Amino acid sequence: MIDTQLRGRVALVTGANHGIGAATAVALAAQGVAVFLTYKRLEAVNHRAYPEAYDRARGAGADEVLRRVREAGGTAVAVEADLTAPGAPEDLFDQAEQALGPVEILVNNASGWLSDTFTPSHHDHFGRPLRRLDAETFDRQFAVDARAAALLIAEFARRHIERGARWGRIIGLTSGGPDGFPTEVSYGAAKAAQENYTMSAAYELGQYGVTANMVYPAATDTGWVNQEVERAVVANSPLRHVGRPEDVADLITFLASEQARCVTGQRIRLH
């Protein structure tokens, strides 16, 4: 069903060349949202514990996503961008406004993810490579998952308020946040920071018609799930399945919809 309140809106979705970001771009476009998607092609992991498809997806451009958007009858513009670059948030909003109009939906999906730990272990229990936490692993993840997300929210809020808008949506992605994330400790901590910024946005920006929420997906196969991981996830999942990017995109699309107009300041977990 098409949400007529979403038709003609403009969304900025980060990290949208594959996985959850790509699925979100397609799902929003199918509702008539014009999508400005950003992405950054990442280096290959090159490790036997990760399927080759994962490296291909991480290193891909946005052509396939744009094709899927067009097939869904939607409109999208893709820009490769380093979210940690000085001035990146302002520049991206400028480009989005020039191409599609003012951004009304912000989806903070991009991540600087890598696995790090306080222990001397070189591999996690699935045999995937680990690094000991250091300044580099901290900076990489906080620069994207916390700082860039916060600055994008700030730029969204500034423009929204200055133009006197009364409708807006901010949606972030998390993975455990304040609960801790063993073997991905900087990732979990950076997501906890993003959660805090987003909850603050919910309270501060509600008076301007903006809702702000975090989505906590189940273990979602964006290309990284091998057979061993799948068995472990299925055994421990209440629904006995591995999540799909489309599952998360459906929830994000709901949170952007008129039906979710009174949902704000929430961390919603999928299983």
Side-chain angles (χ1 to χ4, degrees):
M1 184 175 69
I2 301 296
D3 183 345
T4 57
Q5 295 296 316
L6 281 179
R7 185 175 296 280
R9 303 286 188 187
V10 176
L12 192 162
V13 182
T14 66
N17 58 327
H18 74 287
I20 292 170
T24 299
V26 174
L28 288 172
Q31 293 292 322
V33 177
V35 182
F36 185 87
L37 59 97
T38 78
Y39 66 97
K40 182 181 179 183
R41 285 173 284 193
L42 299 174
E43 70 279 2
V45 178
N46 283 328
H47 192 276
R48 63 184 180 278
Y50 291 97
E52 291 182 9
Y54 184 55
D55 280 338
R56 288 197 300 270
R58 284 163 53 87
D63 289 348
E64 175 62 16
V65 185
L66 294 175
R67 183 191 66 77
R68 290 169 59 194
V69 166
R70 288 192 294 268
E71 284 188 350
T75 301
V77 173
V79 171
E80 185 164 13
D82 180 356
L83 297 181
T84 69
E90 183 176 0
D91 182 55
L92 289 173
F93 274 87
D94 283 345
Q95 291 186 63
E97 287 186 5
Q98 183 176 5
L100 301 172
V103 174
E104 298 161 289
I105 302 166
L106 170 64
V107 181
N108 275 320
N109 170 72
S111 177
W113 171 86
L114 56 76
S115 293
D116 64 355
T117 176
F118 294 120
T119 75
S121 302
H122 296 293
H123 297 89
D124 68 10
H125 53 288
F126 292 115
R128 298 175 300 187
L130 278 175
R131 291 177 56 178
R132 182 171 282 183
L133 186 149
D134 59 18
E136 182 182 354
T137 67
F138 174 95
D139 289 343
R140 169 171 157 172
Q141 289 172 103
F142 271 79
V144 178
D145 295 76
R147 188 181 70 193
L151 293 176
L152 285 164
I153 292 171
E155 191 65 20
F156 175 95
R158 180 180 72 81
R159 294 177 187 237
H160 180 93
I161 294 167
E162 286 180 356
R163 68 174 183 270
R166 297 299 307 167
W167 189 101
R169 302 286 190 265
I170 297 167
I171 303 161
L173 278 294
T174 188
S175 295
D179 300 328
F181 204 140
T183 72
E184 299 180 30
V185 295
S186 292
Y187 177 66
K191 286 299 189 184
Q194 186 185 143
E195 284 188 30
N196 202 282
Y197 281 121
T198 304
M199 296 304 104
S200 293
Y203 283 97
E204 290 192 348
L205 301 179
Q207 63 184 308
Y208 301 103
V210 176
T211 66
N213 294 284
M214 295 294 293
V215 173
Y216 182 175
T220 302
D221 189 3
T222 59
W224 62 274
V225 175
N226 60 30
Q227 290 183 345
E228 185 181 1
V229 172
E230 182 176 5
R231 285 193 295 270
V233 169
V234 169
N236 291 283
S237 165
L239 297 177
R240 297 297 187 264
H241 78 144
V242 175
R244 304 174 305 140
E246 290 76 16
D247 301 332
V248 188
D250 285 346
L251 176 55
I252 292 171
T253 302
F254 167 72
L255 290 172
S257 74
E258 186 62 17
Q259 287 86 347
R261 61 190 176 276
C262 294
V263 180
T264 195
Q266 302 299 310
R267 182 177 74 155
I268 302 175
R269 183 168 187 176
L270 292 171
H271 289 283

